Amino acid sequence: MKNIDSYTHVRGESIYLDDIPVVNGTLYAAAYDSPVAHGKIISLDISAAAAMPGVVRILTAADIPGENQIGGIIPDEELLAATYVHFCGMPIALVIAETDEAARAALKKIKVVIDPLPVITDPREAKEKNELIIPPRTFLLGDTSTAWEQCDLIIEGRADTNGQEHLYIETQGAYAVPQENGALRIYSSTQGPTAVQRTAARVLGLSMHHIEVDTTRLGGGFGGKEDQATTWGVMVALAAHLLKRPVKYCLHRMEDMRMTGKRHPYSADFKIGLNKELKILAYEVTFYQNAGAAADLSPAVMERTLFHCTNSYFIPHVKATAYSCKTNLPPNTAFRGFGGPQGMFVIEAAIAKAAEQLGVPAATIQAKNLLQTGDAFPYGQLADSEANECWQQADALFNITAQQKAITDFNASTSSYKKGMAIMPICFGISFTKTLMNQARALVHVYTDGSVGISTGAVEMGQGVNTKMLQVAEQIFSIAPSRIKINSTNTYRIANTSPTAASAAADLNGKATEMACHEILLRLKEVAAAELQVAPASIELKNETVYANGIATSLDWKKLVLTAYVQRVNLSAHGHYTPAGIHYDASIEKGHPFTYHVYGTSITSVTIDCLRGTYTVDAVNVVHDFGRSMNTLLDTGQCEGGIVQGIGWMTMEEIVYDTAGKLRSNALSTYKVPDIYSAPKHITIHPLNTTKDNLALLRSKAVGEPPLMYGIGAYFALRNAVKAFNPTADIPFATPLTPEKVLMGLYDGGVIK
Ligand code: MTE
Ligand code: LUZ
Ligand code: MOS
């Protein structure tokens, strides 16, 4: 089934935040943000701005009736800076005006005097100065201290990954409309409607039941709206609450890039030990996460880095430590993969370095160390592994040895172009690592005409979760898809939602929908059984027809629904789902945090132009563990999009903050994202069909985040191509590997700076 939004998307009729018709009397907000990365506010002069035409009011921290606090995991982030600013882009004041233009014009008249304090942008420096968001955590398996003796090769190194701008096409924004008796409705472009509701209540000093958050869909989130949509939702709520008028704020692209956090840059030190048979015996790694100026989701992101630090390999002796380092950058946040990709890059770098030292292809080491079913992850969970199956199918389909030989032959035949390839196996745990967040609800109504309305806690952001919810109801009721509508995500209909994140939205909300539909179906079957005078167990609904003992009857879906209504049978149900069997004990760092893992193997090949340093990604060939995909079109799309986004992170997206903490890559003229020309020429996604009884929705495994990590292969493929031209090139494990850096690696003594 096609994405149910595709028709209105291509016609430009889909409704995003800025398309919601505005109510008469709507005002417009714009945030005044700190020009300085760290300092004490000495004075704030808003008088000239307040006198500007159209300006209604300028709000500061002093106007907040409740708590000036938006921190979710740790209460360490003010909505509006009161005394200290901690990053360039930190909101200090909020201008409210009759028009968008008037609000932004007034921003220019605000004057602030800030006494500067020392600025830290480097996570290692923050760690040295003990500027940590939370205490460090360490995952242990076996005993690395004694394992090194058994190793024949020990390699040490450093690996760094840069951040990544989410660049959702729809920028952040929200629109608050006052309701009667002091209540508020907030339309918010958020992945987490409940987070907006809870935080608005906290800041406004209201109860949560006074605040309705409504989200129709997002023009992309990618993690950037899991936590950081809250800021804007709460700002407009504050203004609407104080002024008793509707207030709207849609950020301009440069405001969004400047004021919001991104994927966390990481720096890491590694040490890896192998024996003669190329088995990895020991791995030690220390991660320095650049958290930015407040916790945001950093502690959870850091945790997932540790969970995925051995990727899809079994290593008997592991010691992995992570520091969440506080710097004067906008608080970094969730981004597809949520710290997992950062952890996986480092183990791949360690394997690549060992392979280079030994003169063997990295693939030889990778293949020998893949997880087997029953192997323990460093956090204690035992793997139900598909790593070997994915690798072997990829080899069978795409012939790794033949491709390696073709590349070697090509490279021997020309010096103006070089090719490289790399294999990237992935393993990603599905579930929120915070166990309690793994819960979801769905509300299903069957109307008297046989049509069905569904609300869940899932937010549609392009990934197609609404289509999957519709498919669930379609399959259970066995009715035409046109009878089913998926409604907006709304906190009045579905309470206490977890954000749409962790790739788990379809699983969690889909299972809740499944349960609610089943409940209604059961009631309908009883009605049908009584009508047809047979046992309920002999009733089946197929293609809108009621079957009794396998024989079609004259009772159809519409008649059955109406009959049930006439008999005063409940045609609505509320499903509540929590996956069983997950638990985690952070005091010993052991448990079973994930309902299951998603596996896959990609083979990436690239060609570099040895005169220019430019390159193309020729092909990404993948075997991916979809389980039994419930929607091949959507799932393939998720893979393709994830791969291109991952390649962007690894190769061209270069976030630059200067030492004063100012974002220099602050627009699309200075920040390059992949376009159709830089996407791989060929992407082949081959499904590994697994039908094991797992906790995935209709056995269709979560797909949102894992494919991004195939993109990591692009870095290693490029590295191999550079080395084919200049074998002594000293290429640091630092991303992105831009054409500029490739060019330096090809020449200039091969040292990339
Ligand atoms: N796909 C599109 N088109 N837009 C998005 O914003 N977000 C990704 C992924 N795929 C995203 C996307 C992220 S970060 C997550 S966690 C999942 O979708 C969330 O949706 P799911 O749980 O339904 O997979
Ligand atoms: N968000 C979160 C996530 O709060 N917990 C997680 O484990 C997670 N994983 C991936 C993406 N977002
Ligand atoms: Mo995705 S990073 O879990 O929003």
Side-chain angles (χ1 to χ4, degrees):
M1 175 186 270
K2 265 196 269 187
N3 188 323
I4 54 172
D5 281 345
S6 49
Y7 184 77
T8 52
H9 277 0
V10 295
R11 291 170 63 92
E13 291 169 1
S14 298
I15 305 256
Y16 297 89
L17 185 93
D18 206 16
D19 302 314
I20 297 170
V22 292
V23 178
N24 219 353
T26 293
L27 298 170
Y28 294 82
Y32 176 78
D33 60 298
S34 178
V36 170
H38 194 197
K40 185 172 184 190
I41 301 171
I42 303 298
S43 70
L44 177 67
D45 181 1
I46 56 170
S47 54
M52 290 282 285
V55 173
V56 174
R57 190 154 164 198
I58 299 178
L59 302 173
T60 65
D63 297 302
I64 291 172
E67 248 186 290
N68 183 15
Q69 185 51 249
I70 58 168
I73 297 180
I74 299 173
D76 67 347
E77 190 177 355
E78 291 172 337
L79 178 71
L80 294 169
T83 312
Y84 290 94
V85 290
H86 300 282
F87 61 93
C88 277
M90 181 169 180
I92 297 173
L94 191 68
V95 175
I96 314 296
E98 296 289 348
T99 65
D100 200 21
E101 296 73 21
R104 287 199 168 81
L107 290 180
K108 301 199 174 88
K109 302 285 179 187
I110 293 179
K111 290 191 193 72
V112 68
V113 179
I114 296 174
D115 208 1
L117 288 163
V119 171
I120 301 176
T121 58
D122 174 30
R124 289 181 187 253
E125 184 188 342
K127 192 254 165 188
E128 281 314 306
K129 296 186 170 149
N130 212 23
E131 289 285 343
L132 298 178
I133 300 278
I134 49 163
R137 288 173 68 174
T138 298
F139 281 24
L140 292 172
L141 184 69
D143 182 3
T144 48
S145 63
T146 55
W148 300 118
E149 297 159 17
Q150 301 156 40
C151 298
D152 298 304
L153 176 75
I154 297 173
I155 298 275
E156 293 183 64
R158 171 177 166 156
D160 293 77
T161 47
N162 201 338
Q164 186 175 22
E165 165 64 43
H166 299 88
L167 219 93
Y168 21 65
I169 291 179
E170 180 194 34
T171 53
Q172 302 267 7
Y175 180 29
V177 184
Q179 308 292 308
E180 62 182 17
N181 295 319
L184 278 173
R185 176 181 300 153
I186 309 171
Y187 300 97
S188 168
S189 179
T190 180
Q191 292 173 238
T194 292
V196 176
Q197 180 194 24
R198 190 191 297 119
T199 316
R202 179 185 195 177
V203 172
L204 271 51
L206 296 176
S207 298
M208 284 171 76
H209 72 285
H210 280 126
I211 295 169
E212 173 187 9
V213 178
D214 189 90
T215 304
T216 296
R217 67 164 65 71
L218 317 186
F222 305 110
K225 296 170 183 170
E226 180 174 339
D227 215 50
Q228 300 210 353
T230 299
T231 312
W232 323 104
V234 174
M235 277 184 188
V236 294
L238 173 69
H241 179 65
L242 294 175
L243 298 169
K244 308 278 176 254
R245 283 176 70 179
V247 179
K248 180 174 166 178
Y249 188 13
C250 292
L251 274 69
H252 287 183
R253 181 63 68 185
M254 285 176 79
E255 293 173 335
D256 190 308
M257 291 180 85
R258 186 173 76 231
M259 293 195 258
T260 67
K262 304 165 199 322
R263 181 189 291 285
H264 293 77
Y266 273 67
S267 188
D269 297 314
F270 64 79
K271 182 176 175 184
I272 191 168
L274 297 87
N275 67 12
K276 285 205 180 64
E277 288 75 48
L278 301 182
K279 281 274 184 197
I280 305 171
L281 298 184
Y283 180 56
E284 284 185 5
V285 59
T286 307
F287 296 103
Y288 303 95
Q289 177 201 54
N290 192 334
D296 191 274
L297 293 164
S298 296
V301 171
M302 180 184 105
E303 182 174 53
R304 200 175 264 279
T305 302
L306 290 169
F307 281 125
H308 295 310
C309 73
T310 52
N311 190 11
S312 55
Y313 308 108
F314 173 66
I315 305 177
H317 304 280
V318 177
K319 181 179 181 190
T321 300
Y323 295 90
S324 181
C325 308
K326 191 169 173 177
T327 60
N328 297 108
L329 300 181
N332 286 314
T333 194
F335 196 133
R336 207 171 192 172
F338 205 74
Q342 292 95 318
M344 285 156 66
F345 178 79
V346 183
I347 182 71
E348 294 303 327
I351 290 172
K353 193 163 182 184
E356 285 165 15
Q357 184 94 4
L358 291 164
V360 300
T364 312
I365 300 177
Q366 290 172 314
K368 278 198 160 57
N369 291 280
L370 293 171
L371 276 164
Q372 313 270 0
T373 292
D375 284 343
F377 288 100
Y379 47 91
Q381 183 164 344
L382 302 183
D384 189 356
S385 181
E386 306 287 356
N388 277 290
E389 286 73 5
C390 291
W391 183 288
Q392 277 154 23
Q393 269 211 31
D395 195 13
L397 284 163
F398 308 116
N399 202 334
I400 296 169
T401 324
Q403 272 199 59
Q404 268 168 343
K405 181 164 184 318
I407 286 178
T408 312
D409 291 349
F410 176 89
N411 288 346
S413 74
T414 169
S415 56
S416 18
Y417 294 93
K418 295 289 177 191
K419 288 184 185 289
M421 74 178 255
I423 305 185
M424 184 65 200
I426 62 153
C427 166
F428 196 77
I430 302 303
S431 283
F432 287 96
T433 57
K434 190 144 195 73
T435 302
L436 79 85
M437 291 173 77
N438 296 287
Q439 51 174 303
R441 282 155 289 276
L443 183 61
V444 178
H445 297 309
V446 178
Y447 296 97
T448 50
D449 64 353
S451 64
V452 178
I454 298 177
S455 297
T456 77
V459 170
E460 176 59 49
M461 48 187 182
Q463 87 280 41
V465 71
N466 281 357
T467 305
K468 288 187 174 178
M469 299 303 99
L470 188 145
Q471 285 183 279
V472 168
E474 180 199 359
Q475 285 185 30
I476 292 171
F477 291 141
S478 196
I479 56 175
S482 58
R483 290 200 194 277
I484 307 164
K485 174 164 183 295
I486 309 298
N487 295 312
S488 67
T489 317
N490 184 299
T491 57
Y492 276 3
R493 271 177 269 120
I494 301 292
N496 311 323
T497 61
S498 290
T500 289
S503 307
D507 274 7
L508 296 173
N509 295 280
K511 293 254 186 190
T513 304
E514 203 179 358
M515 289 165 78
C517 291
H518 266 303
E519 208 176 304
I520 296 171
L521 182 67
L522 214 65
R523 294 184 206 134
L524 288 174
K525 280 184 174 176
E526 275 170 17
V527 172
E531 286 293 300
L532 300 166
Q533 302 192 339
V534 294
S538 60
I539 297 287
E540 255 188 304
L541 268 111
K542 271 190 293 191
N543 298 324
E544 308 209 344
T545 299
V546 177
Y547 285 72
N549 295 311
I551 299 157
T553 70
S554 61
L555 198 56
D556 65 11
W557 168 258
K558 281 185 74 165
K559 280 190 222 154
L560 176 58
V561 166
L562 200 59
T563 309
Y565 170 72
V566 169
Q567 293 176 8
R568 295 185 289 174
V569 169
N570 183 357
L571 289 172
S572 299
H574 184 255
H576 166 82
Y577 174 71
T578 58
I582 47 171
H583 53 86
Y584 195 69
D585 183 349
S587 69
I588 51 169
E589 302 291 15
K590 297 284 178 209
H592 189 105
F594 299 117
T595 48
Y596 60 88
H597 289 81
V598 169
Y599 294 86
T601 299
S602 70
I603 306 172
T604 303
S605 50
V606 301
T607 305
I608 56 173
D609 177 330
C610 299
L611 266 180
R612 297 175 181 84
T614 51
Y615 47 73
T616 53
V617 179
D618 302 322
V620 180
N621 293 318
V622 179
V623 171
H624 183 82
D625 165 26
F626 290 106
R628 193 174 61 195
S629 174
M630 68 186 285
N631 191 318
T632 322
L633 262 180
L634 282 179
D635 288 353
T636 309
Q638 284 293 295
C639 283
E640 291 169 347
I643 287 168
V644 175
Q645 201 167 33
I647 291 174
W649 174 49
M650 283 285 114
T651 65
M652 66 181 74
E653 298 186 39
E654 191 165 28
I655 293 203
V656 179
Y657 286 99
D658 63 22
T659 50
K662 226 183 183 64
L663 182 66
R664 292 301 177 184
S665 49
N666 65 348
L668 288 174
S669 53
T670 46
Y671 185 77
K672 176 87 181 97
V673 289
D675 54 19
I676 194 62
Y677 301 105
S678 41
K681 287 194 200 142
H682 302 283
I683 297 182
T684 311
I685 313 286
H686 189 85
L688 180 83
N689 286 309
T690 53
T691 51
K692 283 186 194 164
D693 187 18
N694 58 39
L695 293 155
L697 176 62
L698 305 172
R699 300 193 182 190
S700 177
K701 285 186 164 187
V703 72
E705 294 169 285
L708 180 128
M709 284 149 267
Y710 294 133
I712 295 173
Y715 169 89
F716 292 95
L718 284 170
R719 182 182 174 88
N720 291 337
V722 173
K723 287 202 168 257
F725 184 84
N726 180 6
T728 60
D730 178 13
I731 309 166
F733 293 104
T735 67
L737 190 47
T738 57
E740 186 184 358
K741 290 193 201 158
V742 164
L743 191 63
M744 287 191 280
L746 293 167
Y747 304 103
D748 198 20
V751 180
I752 298 180
K753 292 185 190 75

